[in-house]
Amino acid sequence: MLRGMHSVGFDLDMTLADTRAGIAAVYDELSLRIGVPIDSAAVVARLGPPLELELANWLPADEIPAAAAIFRSLYPSIAVPATTPLPGAREAVTAVRRAGGRIVVVTGKNAGDAVRTVEFLGLDVDEVAGSVFGAAKGPALAAFGAGAYVGDHVADIEAARAGGAVSVAVATGPYRAGELREYGADVVLGDLTEFAGWFDGWRSAAAVG
């Protein structure tokens, strides 16, 4: 069997989970607490990068650590309960499990909140790696032995390349299918409802090859 053919990595926000409402609510509360206007609609339209990178759009560098700490203190009670699985998320996880596969979630979200989100949604995964973005996700994917990495962001395409995995892009985040394809994704799906069919075909083709 080729390396990682049973192991798949998934991004979290806007790949497996629709976190927009919860994240917007946390940013709105953070804005009130620190007295700095933050356009939460703009924030959730570009989910992907770690918290500190987003806060840099609104705050000077010396104020980011304190704001990040407040954000993270609010996240479990506000954002996690408002999170929902994206269409096909549960079925995608089930498809990998049905094939005897292992699953790692590799995300820009900090590991604690990522684990809380995965557990809240009841997704059966083996590992969670957090606070990594773009090519920095590569080592976690390689260490896990992931043969494919599924994400919604162009940075997730970079992550798959860095981890030696097939890049599977879903058009459920800030980028359209054409943009993901042009950026170099190996596979582009409309959403995760298409994943199981692709996954079964990918495994079958690899076994024959």
Side-chain angles (χ1 to χ4, degrees):
M1 174 77 56
L2 295 176
R3 168 191 176 271
M5 202 53 63
H6 281 93
S7 300
V8 178
F10 288 91
D11 177 47
L12 185 56
D13 291 1
M14 300 314 298
T15 297
L16 289 170
D18 189 342
T19 53
R20 291 172 295 185
I23 288 176
V26 176
Y27 271 103
D28 290 341
E29 179 62 22
L30 174 64
S31 178
L32 289 173
R33 293 198 181 196
I34 65 177
V36 175
I38 297 176
D39 185 348
S40 60
V43 171
V44 298
R46 57 178 178 240
L47 290 179
L51 172 62
E52 287 79 4
L53 291 182
E54 178 57 48
L55 288 173
N57 294 312
W58 312 99
L59 298 169
D62 61 340
E63 296 180 16
I64 290 175
I70 295 171
F71 183 99
R72 290 190 174 115
S73 73
L74 297 169
Y75 198 97
S77 61
I78 295 177
V80 172
T83 301
T84 58
L86 280 165
R90 299 188 193 284
E91 293 81 0
V93 170
T94 298
V96 178
R97 288 300 192 205
R98 187 171 56 238
R102 300 173 68 239
I103 298 167
V104 61
V105 171
V106 186
T107 173
K109 190 184 299 300
N110 72 87
D113 287 333
V115 168
R116 292 183 189 95
T117 300
V118 167
E119 290 179 346
F120 176 76
L121 296 178
L123 299 175
D124 180 19
V125 310
D126 297 283
E127 293 182 17
V128 175
S131 298
V132 284
F133 183 63
K137 293 182 176 183
L141 293 169
F144 189 79
Y149 181 59
V150 187
D152 65 285
H153 200 284
V154 292
D156 295 325
I157 300 171
E158 298 171 2
R161 290 174 183 158
V166 172
S167 170
V168 182
V170 286
T172 47
Y175 296 93
R176 296 179 180 178
E179 294 173 308
L180 295 165
R181 192 172 293 107
E182 288 176 8
Y183 202 81
D186 296 310
V187 179
V188 178
L189 308 176
D191 59 31
L192 285 179
T193 63
E194 301 173 16
F195 175 83
W198 170 80
F199 179 69
D200 290 343
W202 176 59
R203 290 178 54 253
S204 297
V208 171

